[in-house]
Amino acid sequence: MACANFSFTLLVLCSCFATSFIACHGFPAHHNNPFHHRHHPRFASHNYRDALTKSILFFEGQRSGKLPSSQRMTWRRDSGLTDGSTMHVDLVGGYYDAGDNVKFGFPMAFTTTMLSWSILEFGGLMKGELQNAREAIRWATDYLLKATAHTDTIYVQVGNANKDHACWERPEDMDTPRSVFKVDKHSPGSDVAAETAAALAAASLVFRRCDPTYAKLLVRRAIRVFQFADKYRGAYSNGLKRFVCPFYCSYSGYEDELLWGAAWLHKATKNPTYLNYIQVNGQTLGAAQFDNTFGWDNKHVGARILLSKAFLVQKLQSLHDYKGHADNFICSLIPGAPFSSAEYTPGGLLFKMSDSNMQYVTSTSFLLLTYAKYLSSARTVVNCGGTVVTPKRLRTIAKKQVDYLLGDNPLKMSYMVGYGPRFPQRIHHRGSSLPSIATHPGKIQCTSGFSVMNSQSPNPNVLVGAIVGGPDEHDRFPDERSDYEQSEPATYINAPLVGALAYLAHSSGQLEVLAASPIC
């Protein structure tokens, strides 16, 4: 078991919370910090600072529940205020994953983990946006705490996706069943549970200095949830297949999430129990598999990169193999290098699959910049069958991907809504495409909205910062609302890009004029 000695775990937690930590700043101010480059180019083809601001603002447009007075996406209003009531639990809050009105716990947890990792690696560069990024995380973790309030149970979804998709209505109007689905010891879900544990553990590091009481709550819950994930093994889409598939089936199984969750708990607690778990179970959980796609379903690559830091930066020799595992992923991305397997569009965009490809662009860009940071700290490189790949090369590749997303592409189209002179006008998003409550107070019925969905009119409400699925393998993008594969935004597309944009904004000198990062 991952937590065989719970009392020992709490003892370690108490001691590690008493120590100073850097999560509120991303990294310590130190003259050897690899991000304090001597040279900051003053010319950049994009306003990464503006894109960073908008990439975080997007999450306010995805909020469910009672909206705060500080809500900046003002065309949105309260929604889902009775969520959970059918099971006599409070599940109000959280995020709608994409363009529909369902709250899927699996991608929501992954979104939370990646937002947290973005802050942990690059939060010190976010300056004035750091507080907004923390609030985006807290909106999710407050919900995840509700969803995990009962021992050995996780409420993993609110809303029947099939019935929701039969309507095109605003979240404020929705009258489809707010069915609640859960995993427990009788119908396990190690994948969604371990991802939820990862999210809570990662977020605990974000709040450790600025809200230690909340951070302790998060990490203690993470420990308990991971215990459940490991003890009662099984994929959540086995028991909930007709409700979660094909939307968020666990196609890769649950082993990757167990490794990923253990890695985050090791980082959050420093409890040797988790290091031992990783050493004993790493191979059987797929640490060395050659699966090079990182996203809401498969976490193997992310776990390899995260664990490589323990070796590269913290000199934890027992995790030496994860440097090699991480290098294999990097080598798969390098055009022309031995073992390269990645495909790119004629315009240069990494292309993994036709459905929401941009999620892999943003997640890969984040991993490239993060691994470059680790390599720089360790003063080492990647060797791809004789081809030496430097941290600078990784940053160049990541920047090219982000620049393509922001408009450096054959269509000169920004795939971030509200950024640049040309961006998608007809995104696959119910709330954005229908008149707002302010302009149309009357209820829009379930099927009435389909006339709008099928029209060519631009969305009246700009979902600022939303990143859509993106172009096809030939760099084509039709900007059709009905084309959910290319035109639908999602929280897990944005989350890793937040960190990448923070790095790029800082490295181009665009963030230096902002005030010091605010406290929590």
Side-chain angles (χ1 to χ4, degrees):
M1 292 303 299
C3 293
N5 190 335
F6 186 69
S7 60
F8 175 69
T9 302
L10 289 179
L11 178 63
V12 173
L13 283 176
C14 291
S15 65
C16 77
F17 270 105
T19 61
S20 175
F21 192 74
I22 59 162
C24 291
H25 301 285
F27 48 76
H30 192 276
H31 68 281
N32 287 330
N33 194 289
F35 282 98
H36 292 169
H37 301 306
R38 291 187 177 90
H39 174 65
H40 290 295
R42 293 303 168 200
F43 173 78
S45 58
H46 288 286
N47 187 339
Y48 301 114
R49 172 182 167 183
D50 181 51
L52 172 64
T53 296
K54 290 171 177 174
S55 71
I56 299 170
L57 176 60
F58 158 74
F59 289 95
E60 295 191 17
Q62 297 302 112
R63 284 172 169 171
S64 179
K66 180 72 175 176
L67 302 185
S69 58
S70 59
Q71 174 81 8
R72 296 175 294 168
M73 199 82 77
T74 53
W75 53 266
R76 281 295 323 282
R77 298 292 170 88
D78 300 345
S79 62
L81 298 182
T82 62
D83 281 359
S85 60
T86 59
M87 296 279 282
H88 307 291
V89 291
D90 176 9
L91 295 176
V92 176
Y95 289 114
Y96 303 116
D97 69 304
D100 53 24
N101 300 325
V102 182
K103 294 192 299 202
F104 293 98
F106 196 19
M108 194 194 306
F110 177 67
T111 294
T112 310
T113 309
M114 293 310 297
L115 271 175
S116 298
W117 199 3
S118 286
I119 285 186
L120 294 173
E121 298 298 346
F122 305 108
L125 311 179
M126 290 180 185
K127 302 296 175 67
E129 288 304 321
L130 180 56
Q131 180 64 11
N132 291 324
R134 288 196 199 105
E135 289 176 1
I137 292 171
R138 189 158 191 153
W139 194 267
T141 51
D142 283 351
Y143 175 83
L144 293 177
L145 287 171
K146 293 179 179 181
T148 58
H150 298 154
T151 303
D152 291 344
T153 299
I154 304 178
Y155 297 97
V156 298
Q157 185 172 316
V158 180
N160 184 311
N162 289 301
K163 293 182 178 179
D164 178 90
H165 290 182
C167 296
W168 192 266
E169 58 185 352
R170 303 175 296 198
E172 296 84 357
D173 284 336
M174 60 182 167
D175 47 14
T176 53
R178 299 302 285 169
S179 307
V180 175
F181 303 97
K182 66 177 181 177
V183 296
D184 55 27
K185 62 179 69 175
H186 305 295
S187 180
S190 299
D191 31 32
V192 66
E195 181 59 65
T196 302
L200 295 168
S204 76
L205 294 169
V206 171
F207 292 103
R208 179 169 285 179
R209 268 189 66 182
C210 45
D211 192 343
T213 300
Y214 189 62
K216 288 177 184 178
L217 174 62
L218 292 173
V219 78
R220 286 172 177 159
R221 186 66 56 82
I223 291 168
R224 194 182 82 191
V225 171
F226 187 80
Q227 283 181 306
F228 165 65
D230 191 45
K231 183 176 181 179
Y232 302 102
R233 292 197 179 190
Y236 91 127
S237 48
N238 289 343
L240 297 174
K241 184 173 183 178
R242 64 194 183 100
F243 302 111
V244 303
C245 297
F247 317 104
Y248 293 103
C249 269
S250 184
Y251 297 104
S252 68
Y254 59 79
E255 292 83 2
D256 53 309
E257 279 85 17
L258 287 175
L259 181 63
W260 173 244
W264 277 109
L265 278 160
H266 166 65
K267 184 176 178 67
T269 69
K270 299 297 186 287
N271 186 331
T273 298
Y274 297 108
L275 177 59
N276 180 68
Y277 180 94
I278 293 163
Q279 292 169 331
V280 171
N281 299 291
Q283 293 306 304
T284 59
L285 296 178
Q289 288 182 11
F290 288 96
D291 45 355
N292 293 322
T293 299
F294 179 53
W296 61 262
D297 181 37
N298 195 327
K299 320 296 164 45
H300 275 137
V301 171
R304 291 169 198 145
I305 298 288
L306 182 65
L307 290 170
S308 74
K309 181 179 184 179
F311 167 70
L312 287 168
V313 180
Q314 289 136 10
K315 310 304 181 186
L316 197 58
Q317 293 300 317
S318 62
L319 295 179
H320 170 272
D321 289 350
Y322 286 90
K323 165 67 162 66
H325 299 328
D327 286 357
N328 288 338
F329 166 66
I330 296 300
C331 294
S332 76
L333 296 170
I334 307 300
F339 319 118
S340 176
S341 60
E343 296 182 3
Y344 293 85
T345 68
L349 183 71
L350 175 69
F351 195 83
K352 287 284 187 179
M353 60 183 67
S354 59
D355 189 356
S356 192
N357 179 67
M358 206 61 85
Q359 65 178 299
Y360 306 112
V361 174
T362 60
S363 65
T364 299
S365 298
F366 173 84
L367 291 182
L368 287 168
L369 292 172
T370 299
Y371 199 50
K373 179 183 174 184
Y374 300 165
L375 292 171
S376 294
S377 180
R379 291 178 168 78
T380 190
V381 296
V382 176
N383 191 316
C384 298
T387 300
V388 174
V389 181
T390 64
K392 182 179 178 181
R393 177 82 183 276
L394 301 187
R395 294 183 183 112
T396 299
I397 295 171
K399 181 179 182 297
K400 182 176 180 180
Q401 294 302 303
V402 175
D403 286 350
Y404 182 111
L405 185 156
L406 294 178
D408 290 0
N409 56 63
L411 296 182
K412 305 302 179 187
M413 165 81 78
S414 162
Y415 291 103
M416 176 185 284
V417 174
Y419 176 86
R422 186 181 183 209
F423 53 82
Q425 300 294 311
R426 290 172 286 277
I427 67 172
H428 184 93
H429 190 278
R430 287 158 174 77
S432 172
S433 67
L434 294 167
S436 68
I437 296 292
T439 60
H440 190 290
K443 181 180 175 65
I444 298 175
Q445 298 293 336
C446 166
T447 58
S448 299
F450 280 110
S451 61
V452 172
M453 197 275 276
N454 294 315
S455 77
Q456 289 298 306
S457 58
N459 287 14
N461 309 308
V462 181
L463 187 59
V464 175
I467 302 163
V468 297
D472 65 13
E473 67 270 28
H474 303 293
D475 300 296
R476 297 174 302 201
F477 181 77
D479 197 10
E480 293 284 348
R481 192 177 293 110
S482 60
D483 184 0
Y484 62 87
E485 290 191 346
Q486 293 184 251
S487 293
E488 188 169 18
T491 57
Y492 45 86
I493 303 179
N494 276 58
L497 188 67
V498 168
L501 288 171
Y503 170 77
L504 291 171
H506 173 79
S507 66
S508 58
Q510 295 172 1
L511 283 173
E512 293 181 346
V513 297
L514 295 183
S517 303
I519 61 173
C520 278

